[in-house]
Amino acid sequence: ASITGSTVDAGGAVTLTATDDSTIIADAGAGALALAGGTGGGAAGAVGISVAINDINATVIAVIDSTTVNPAASVGLSATSNATITTITAVGTAAGAGGVGGGTAFGGAGAGSGNTIDKSVEALIRNASIVTTVNGGSVSLTAMDTSTIKANAGTGALAIAFEIGTAAGREK
C-alpha cells in the first residue's frame, strides 16, 4: 500500500495497511515393497524416499513516499506478514525374502523437507515526505512478521528374512 508523489489534504485519519497471507500446504509420500523367494533362497531390498521443498519470498510494504500529508487527525501505516508453510513427508517400505536356502532382506526409508520464508516487512515515511497532524494527533508505523513453518516427517521400514526347513524320515 502506498501514497507516492502526491499531496494529501486530509480532513480525518490517514491509514495505509499492507498484508500478506501466503500459504503453502504440501504433503509428500512414498512407498516401496519387495518380495523374493525360491528353492535356493531369496534376497529382497526396498528403499523409499519422500522430499518436499517449499519457499515463500515477498515484500510487504506500507509507504508514504515523496508526499505531503496536510493536517490529518492521525497517520497510521501498518505492514504485516502472516505467511504459513505446513509440510508432511512420509514414507514406508517393506521387504521379505526366504526359501529353502534362506533369505536376505533389506528395508530403508528416509523423509524430510526444506522450507523457507524470506520476507521483507516495512512501514515507511521516506524521500522528503512531510506529514503534519493536528490536535496532538499521532503518527504510527508498525511492521510485523508472524510467519510460521510447521514441518513433520515420518518413516517406517520392515525387513523379514526366513528359511524353510525340510525334514526327511524313514520308517522301519
Side-chain angles (χ1 to χ4, degrees):
S2 66
I3 301 173
T4 304
S6 303
T7 298
V8 176
D9 292 318
V14 174
T15 303
L16 290 177
T17 303
T19 304
D20 176 52
D21 292 322
S22 299
T23 300
I24 295 175
I25 298 173
D27 298 329
L33 173 65
L35 301 172
T39 57
V47 176
I49 297 173
S50 174
V51 177
I53 298 173
N54 305 290
D55 296 305
I56 295 176
N57 293 312
T59 298
V60 183
I61 188 167
V63 62
I64 293 176
D65 189 0
S66 302
T67 294
T68 299
V69 177
N70 290 317
S74 64
V75 176
L77 283 73
S78 174
T80 305
S81 173
N82 301 310
T84 302
I85 297 176
T86 303
T87 304
I88 298 173
T89 53
V91 63
T93 64
V100 174
T104 302
F106 168 79
S113 64
N115 303 291
T116 58
I117 297 176
D118 185 10
K119 293 286 195 148
S120 174
V121 183
E122 302 174 303
L124 306 166
I125 297 174
R126 66 179 179 198
N127 294 329
S129 293
I130 299 169
V131 176
T132 307
T133 61
V134 294
N135 299 327
S138 64
V139 176
S140 167
L141 304 173
T142 304
M144 185 171 23
D145 187 350
T146 61
S147 299
T148 59
I149 296 174
K150 297 174 188 169
N152 295 300
T155 63
L158 173 65
I160 299 173
F162 60 92
E163 180 175 357
I164 299 172
T166 58
R170 205 166 88 174
E171 207 176 295
K172 286 188 185 186

